[in-house]
Amino acid sequence: MTVHWVKLELDVAAFDAPRFETYVSRCRADGIRLATLAELGDTPEHRRALYDLNKECSADIPERGEFYSFEEYAERRFEAAGYDPRGVVIALDGETWVGMAATSVHGDFVFNEMTGVRAGYRGRGIAIAMKTLGLEFAKRCGAATVRTFHHPANASAIAMNRRMGFVDAQD
């Protein structure tokens, strides 16, 4: 069976940032700190914490299969040409990492690699808040477009992106 991925894109200039800043403000008011991996420190310990969080959140992706080993993840994420720790937004509750949104740079566009929130923290707008900050990163990089893709059964992720203004990609 062939999966036809849902490919989405967002025009960075058309993004309605003020509309979504309320999610960032609400998270902060609820005690959720939002910081980039660059701000926290791109250290071996933080890279391991990001891996653990990504692995946990990825378990809910339909047909995801087994997650990468840490070594494979490090090669694919941290050693990739588009990696920039300023594009990795982390949501923290105290010292606990509860969400992540990783964006990589690819010339005139950025790619939203993964957005995930631990199950107990979902439904609070944390994912939208992290993606909103990720779009600030896209603007700083001079990217015109943000691209992402999803398994068609990942309805909540697709709906969240569409709510933020993502549309079907024009391949």
Side-chain angles (χ1 to χ4, degrees), residues 6 20 54 75 77 79 85 89 104 114-115 120 126 129 140 167:
V6 176
F20 295 100
N54 199 156
E75 183 178 325
R77 174 82 65 217
E79 296 173 25
V89 179
S104 57
M114 170 67 182
T115 301
I126 295 170
R140 283 194 304 274
V167 297

Side-chain angles (χ1 to χ4, degrees), residues 4 23 27 49 61 66-67 76 90 95 104 108-110 112 118 143 160 168 170:
H4 295 286
Y23 288 87
C27 283
I61 297 172
E66 190 169 332
F67 199 72
R76 289 173 180 260
I90 307 296
E95 295 302 313
S104 57
D108 65 340
F109 75 95
V110 296
N112 181 232
R118 287 200 156 114
M160 175 189 59
D168 293 324
Q170 304 300 311

Side-chain angles (χ1 to χ4, degrees), residues 72-145:
E72 291 169 316
Y73 182 84
E75 183 178 325
R76 289 173 180 260
R77 174 82 65 217
F78 307 121
E79 296 173 25
Y83 171 69
D84 186 326
R86 298 173 303 161
V88 180
V89 179
I90 307 296
L92 301 101
D93 184 5
E95 295 302 313
T96 303
W97 291 34
V98 300
M100 62 163 295
T103 304
S104 57
V105 182
H106 301 272
D108 65 340
F109 75 95
V110 296
F111 184 74
N112 181 232
E113 305 275 347
M114 170 67 182
T115 301
V117 177
R118 287 200 156 114
Y121 288 85
R122 293 180 187 155
R124 296 170 54 182
I126 295 170
I128 290 177
M130 292 184 303
K131 286 183 80 92
T132 298
L133 295 180
L135 283 158
E136 289 178 13
F137 170 72
K139 285 182 184 178
R140 283 194 304 274
C141 290
T145 307

